[in-house]
Amino acid sequence: MGMYPEYMVAPIREDLTSAGFEQLMTPEEVEQVLSGNEGTVLVAVNSVCGCAASKARPALKMAVSSSEKRPDKLVTVFAGMEGEAVAKAREHMLPYPPSSPSIALFKNGELVHMIERYHIEGNDLIRIVDNLKGAFEDYC
C-alpha cells in the first residue's frame, strides 16, 4: 500500500506510461530489467511533487520524443507507492542517495548517467532535456 490513494497517482503514472514508459510494480520486475541485460534502460523515479510535474516528466517525454538516439527500454517506479520496487531500483543507483524525482540511465546493467532531484529542481526544463539528450547520444 502506498502513501497516496491510487486514484490520485493514476494520472501521474499515465503521464509516463502513455509516453512509452513501463510501470514496474515489484522488486522482481525491477531486477529483471536492470540485472545486466544488454542495451540501455532509462529509469524514471516518478513522484507527486511539483518538480516532477513541471520538469522531470515533461523533460523525459521531450527528450525521448526528440532524440535521434534513445534508450532501448523506458521504465518507471513511483516513489511513495511501490516501496519495494523503488528500493530495488535505488540499489542499482548506488552510490547516489535516494532522490525523487530522479532519472537514471543504465547500459548493459551498469549505471552510466544520473540526474538527481537537485539537478531537476535547480534547472530549467530545456537544460534537463539537453542533459538527457546528451546522455542518449553518449550511451545509446
Side-chain angles (χ1 to χ4, degrees), residues 78-137:
F78 205 112
M81 292 304 288
E82 293 75 39
E84 292 177 1
V86 173
K88 180 56 75 176
R90 287 179 172 158
E91 284 178 22
H92 289 271
M93 295 174 192
L94 290 172
Y96 294 95
S99 175
S100 48
S102 60
I103 304 164
L105 181 63
F106 293 84
K107 183 170 185 169
N108 301 330
E110 180 184 336
L111 179 63
V112 294
H113 190 76
M114 184 74 183
I115 300 176
E116 297 175 84
R117 179 188 176 105
Y118 78 92
H119 295 122
I120 296 167
E121 65 186 352
N123 268 313
D124 65 48
L125 179 62
I126 298 306
R127 286 182 121 171
I128 301 164
V129 171
D130 289 344
N131 181 316
L132 285 167
K133 289 172 76 172
F136 298 167
E137 188 64 34

Side-chain angles (χ1 to χ4, degrees), residues 1-127:
M1 181 119 198
M3 292 174 49
Y4 310 102
E6 183 59 36
Y7 73 85
M8 232 178 96
V9 299
I12 300 170
R13 290 184 198 279
E14 188 179 343
D15 196 16
L16 289 180
T17 58
S18 66
F21 284 77
E22 175 188 355
Q23 178 71 55
L24 303 179
M25 304 294 278
T26 68
E28 294 80 17
E29 290 174 340
V30 171
E31 192 61 30
Q32 182 178 4
V33 168
L34 295 180
S35 63
N37 294 328
E38 293 291 315
T40 52
V41 179
L42 184 66
V43 179
V45 179
N46 203 351
S47 171
V48 298
C49 72
C51 64
S54 66
K55 295 182 181 180
R57 290 192 302 271
L60 284 159
K61 294 184 297 185
M62 287 173 70
V64 167
S65 68
S66 65
S67 294
E68 287 185 31
K69 292 185 175 183
R70 57 180 280 188
D72 298 315
K73 190 160 187 67
L74 308 170
V75 300
T76 183
V77 293
F78 205 112
M81 292 304 288
E82 293 75 39
E84 292 177 1
V86 173
K88 180 56 75 176
R90 287 179 172 158
E91 284 178 22
H92 289 271
M93 295 174 192
L94 290 172
Y96 294 95
S99 175
S100 48
S102 60
I103 304 164
L105 181 63
F106 293 84
K107 183 170 185 169
N108 301 330
E110 180 184 336
L111 179 63
V112 294
H113 190 76
M114 184 74 183
I115 300 176
E116 297 175 84
R117 179 188 176 105
Y118 78 92
H119 295 122
I120 296 167
E121 65 186 352
N123 268 313
D124 65 48
L125 179 62
I126 298 306
R127 286 182 121 171

